[in-house]
Amino acid sequence: MPPARFALGAVLVCVPLVLALCGPLLVGGPGPRAASFTLGDGHWLGTDFVGRDVWRQVLLGGRPVVVVALTATALAYLVALPLGLISALTHRTWLEETLMRPLDVLLAVPSLLMILLVASVFSPGATGLALLVALVNIPDAARIVRAAAADVASRPAVEALRMQGESWWRIAVGHVGRSILRPLAADAGVRLTGVLYLVATAAFLGIGVAPDAADWAVMVDRNRTGLFVQPWAVVVPALLIVALTMGCNLLCDAALRKGPRS
């Protein structure tokens, strides 16, 4: 990938990421509320639907989206990696079927539908939303891990390690796991983009967050009625979500173009 495109991806990721992680440390007190959807009076990005300062909400609203997305992605791989490696390296068909077939059933249910069904039974908080998003990403992630690991496991080097008496752990982690790092890194970039979309969509629908929470997706939803009166309350958080998604795609594309050379 050309350095300019890589740099663009890094900037697009860093700006919303820094705002999300460091923003809560930079905000002052809430201050008095002004009229809804107004500009001026010290509110350089105007006010939102209940008269709160938009810039302050932007600084506070990124961390929930980013932290939930990163946590959900990490949790998905924490479960998918051992499932995929065991399925790829085992010689017991019954074990592979036991591990992978339930995931195929879960994979058949659309992700957002699964989240909506669970949310209709109980109201998940941020932790519950992260667990739900991780759950719907485990089947696909496990299949990708299994496919990448099975390709490496079929090579003569792995059979030679088995014949030398190497432990399963050393073969799975030391050789196979190390050989699939690049394709998994590329998949993680793509998956994080999908997770961000799913988390933002769930927050937009009011799942996992309060209706007036400081959250970029909630800001887009709650302030859209004043889009033509005070657009910054919608445009700024929407652009930050889009920038983070596009940046992840560009950086992921860089990893894919380099490709695995094992």
Side-chain angles (χ1 to χ4, degrees), residues 149-225:
D151 178 60
V152 177
S154 65
R155 298 174 187 174
V158 175
E159 190 60 35
L161 289 172
R162 285 198 181 102
M163 294 178 66
Q164 291 173 9
E166 295 288 355
S167 66
W168 183 91
W169 178 262
R170 185 175 178 84
I171 294 173
V173 178
H175 181 75
V176 177
R178 186 176 57 186
S179 299
I180 63 175
L181 281 179
R182 277 189 174 176
L184 288 189
D187 176 67
V190 175
R191 192 164 307 284
L192 180 59
T193 298
V195 167
L196 278 168
Y197 165 78
L198 199 54
V199 170
T201 303
F204 184 84
L205 296 173
I207 300 172
V209 294
D212 60 345
D215 182 286
W216 288 346
V218 174
M219 290 177 68
V220 174
D221 177 38
R222 301 293 287 172
N223 294 310
R224 56 195 170 92
T225 55

Side-chain angles (χ1 to χ4, degrees), residues 7 24 30 47 61 65 67 71 84 90 94 99 112 117 141 150 153 158 166 182 184 188 198 216 221 252 254:
T47 59
V65 175
V67 170
T71 302
T90 185
W94 66 267
L99 292 175
L112 188 56
L117 286 174
V158 175
E166 295 288 355
R182 277 189 174 176
L184 288 189
L198 199 54
W216 288 346
D221 177 38
C252 170

Side-chain angles (χ1 to χ4, degrees), residues 44-99:
W44 65 287
L45 284 181
T47 59
D48 65 2
F49 69 106
V50 290
R52 296 173 299 188
D53 183 73
V54 169
W55 176 241
R56 186 175 189 278
Q57 295 299 106
V58 167
L59 292 177
L60 290 172
R63 185 175 289 185
V65 175
V66 172
V67 170
V68 170
L70 290 175
T71 302
T73 304
L75 288 174
Y77 277 104
L78 190 64
V79 177
L81 276 171
L83 289 179
L85 286 174
I86 293 171
S87 299
L89 295 175
T90 185
H91 291 293
R92 299 176 177 86
T93 304
W94 66 267
L95 179 58
E96 181 182 352
E97 293 291 320
T98 301
L99 292 175

